[in-house]
Amino acid sequence: MVGNGEGLPDDEPGAPRATDPAMTRGSGLIFILIAIALVLAIGFFYLTKDRESGPERAVTDAANSADSAVRLVGDAAQNAADQIGNRR
């Protein structure tokens, strides 16, 4: 018989078809590897998201402290200016 049963001639009678399990096994392996990589990446970001070292925390606290001090000085200056304006 000439052909593969679908009206097309066979180039190689023993050649595997694309629907054979051996041909689709590689795509399943790639899917599994991608899924594992995604799970590892998401886990890494969740584990390192809230980690803050001591020096970073100290710098942040110092900046917040300086910001608070500047706001207090600004408020005091505004109050003094308002009092001077009320006297006139």
Side-chain angles (χ1 to χ4, degrees):
M1 173 176 176
V2 176
N4 59 8
E6 297 175 358
L8 301 172
D10 285 337
D11 293 331
E12 298 179 37
R17 297 172 57 189
T19 57
D20 289 341
M23 296 296 284
T24 59
R25 194 175 306 145
S27 63
L29 179 64
I30 291 172
F31 175 76
I32 290 172
L33 289 176
I34 290 173
I36 290 172
L38 283 173
V39 167
L40 290 175
I42 291 170
F44 173 76
F45 285 120
Y46 274 118
L47 288 175
T48 59
K49 181 178 73 168
D50 293 331
R51 185 180 300 175
E52 192 175 291
S53 67
E56 292 171 351
R57 180 170 285 144
V59 170
T60 304
D61 290 343
N64 286 335
S65 177
D67 180 55
S68 297
V70 169
R71 287 179 191 264
L72 287 174
V73 170
D75 290 342
Q78 182 66 43
N79 290 340
D82 289 343
Q83 287 178 357
I84 291 173
N86 290 338
R87 288 184 187 170
R88 292 183 182 178

